[in-house]
Amino acid sequence: MPKAFFIDTTRCTACRGCQIACKEWHELEANKTYQEGSHQNPPDLNPNNYKLVRFTEFKDGDGVVHWNFFPDQCRHCVVPPCKEVSDMALEGAILKDEETGAVIFTDKTKELSADDAQAVRDACPYDIPRRSDSSGLLSKCTMCIERVQNDLVPMCVKTCCTGTMNFGERADMMALAEKRLAEVRKTNPEAMLADPDFTSAIFLLGYSPDRYWEHAVSEAPAPMNRQQLFAKLTSPVRKAVRG
């Protein structure tokens, strides 16, 4: 049965344990970063960071400053537009494991041209894929599929100590998300689930999406069927071919 993450941002304390665990499990290289006026570090996702806790602060109507934390990662879309676009250039570069629902970028993504790789990134409603300048490899969260296939949870979930990161059967995660949403809405009426019908990483937001990372929710209108979504996201590719 397909799996899913349930990510409850209202419980996140930005300890960044998930971010570090992901980096260590995948043996990703360190990044040379600089202070850019935020505790968020590194500043963005990159080929050596598949997970990033994003920091956003805002003042409410009473002038109280709030910090929202958003553990950003691939959403493992139910119908992944990155795969749809990639298949137009090179079938097999991006795969979807039907058993788990994981969307996997393979070593064949190195064979995509820079333009094709950019088209894949542009197709993602959440701005997730990143390309290595040195190898050309496209990379992102793998759902720790090798762990999941051995009945283990992803490392980010195993490391989380606050209940933010959850993982299991998709139906169970949806039930947990709906239950938790009802609780949070008692004090935060704006609380919502971000694109739960389209993704396998279901985020609970305590406030409206504009209080978080700009790609916290998809720009694609809902509901949208597969043909409509595919037509919308592949239009830049078709224009480039015609041009």
Side-chain angles (χ1 to χ4, degrees):
M1 295 291 290
K3 309 293 185 180
F5 295 89
F6 167 50
I7 304 174
D8 184 351
T9 66
T10 67
R11 295 188 184 276
C12 183
T13 62
C15 73
R16 290 178 280 203
C18 59
Q19 182 176 314
I20 295 170
C22 175
K23 196 173 183 72
E24 290 185 343
W25 178 257
H26 293 286
E27 299 182 338
L28 301 173
E29 296 180 8
N31 300 296
K32 186 175 183 179
T33 62
Y34 301 91
Q35 172 57 251
E36 296 189 357
S38 170
H39 290 291
Q40 179 179 308
N41 188 46
D44 200 1
L45 292 170
N46 59 69
N48 291 317
N49 272 83
Y50 303 163
K51 182 100 178 179
L52 174 64
V53 179
R54 298 188 182 276
F55 287 58
T56 307
E57 62 181 54
F58 71 96
K59 285 185 179 181
D60 64 20
D62 297 323
V64 177
V65 176
H66 296 263
W67 260 4
N68 281 340
F69 307 124
F70 189 88
D72 200 13
Q73 64 170 74
C74 173
R75 309 304 197 273
H76 296 278
C77 295
V78 175
V79 180
C82 59
K83 180 182 184 303
E84 301 282 359
V85 171
S86 176
D87 282 349
M88 296 174 66
L90 180 63
E91 288 193 14
I94 298 176
L95 304 174
K96 180 176 180 182
D97 181 62
E98 295 301 329
E99 182 178 356
T100 63
V103 178
I104 304 299
F105 285 15
T106 74
D107 284 345
K108 288 182 69 174
T109 59
K110 296 177 182 177
E111 301 174 30
L112 293 169
S113 69
D115 287 344
D116 288 336
Q118 185 60 48
V120 170
R121 178 171 176 178
D122 291 343
C124 177
Y126 307 101
D127 190 33
I128 294 298
R130 294 296 187 270
R131 184 172 187 261
S132 168
D133 291 335
S134 57
S135 70
L137 183 72
L138 279 171
S139 58
K140 64 168 192 65
C141 163
T142 68
M143 197 187 275
C144 287
I145 188 169
E146 69 280 14
R147 292 179 57 84
V148 174
Q149 289 174 335
N150 285 282
D151 297 321
L152 299 171
V153 297
M155 278 304 298
C156 59
V157 179
K158 181 176 177 61
T159 305
C160 181
C161 61
T162 64
T164 299
M165 300 296 305
N166 304 270
F167 186 81
E169 298 295 331
R170 180 179 174 79
D172 293 339
M173 292 300 100
M174 280 298 304
L176 179 61
E178 294 286 357
K179 180 180 179 180
R180 179 63 182 156
L181 176 63
E183 295 173 356
V184 174
R185 277 185 171 166
K186 293 176 183 178
T187 53
N188 294 49
E190 291 183 318
M192 61 173 288
L193 299 179
D195 302 334
D197 296 330
F198 304 127
T199 72
S200 297
I202 303 159
F203 283 79
L204 169 59
L205 308 181
Y207 300 89
S208 62
D210 61 316
R211 300 297 194 185
Y212 295 83
W213 165 234
E214 63 180 309
H215 296 292
V217 296
S218 169
E219 295 180 355
M224 179 179 285
N225 64 36
R226 175 177 178 144
Q227 289 74 26
Q228 291 171 321
L229 182 60
F230 181 66
K232 175 181 174 63
L233 295 174
T234 60
S235 60
V237 178
R238 295 197 300 271
K239 289 178 182 177
V241 172
R242 289 198 299 269

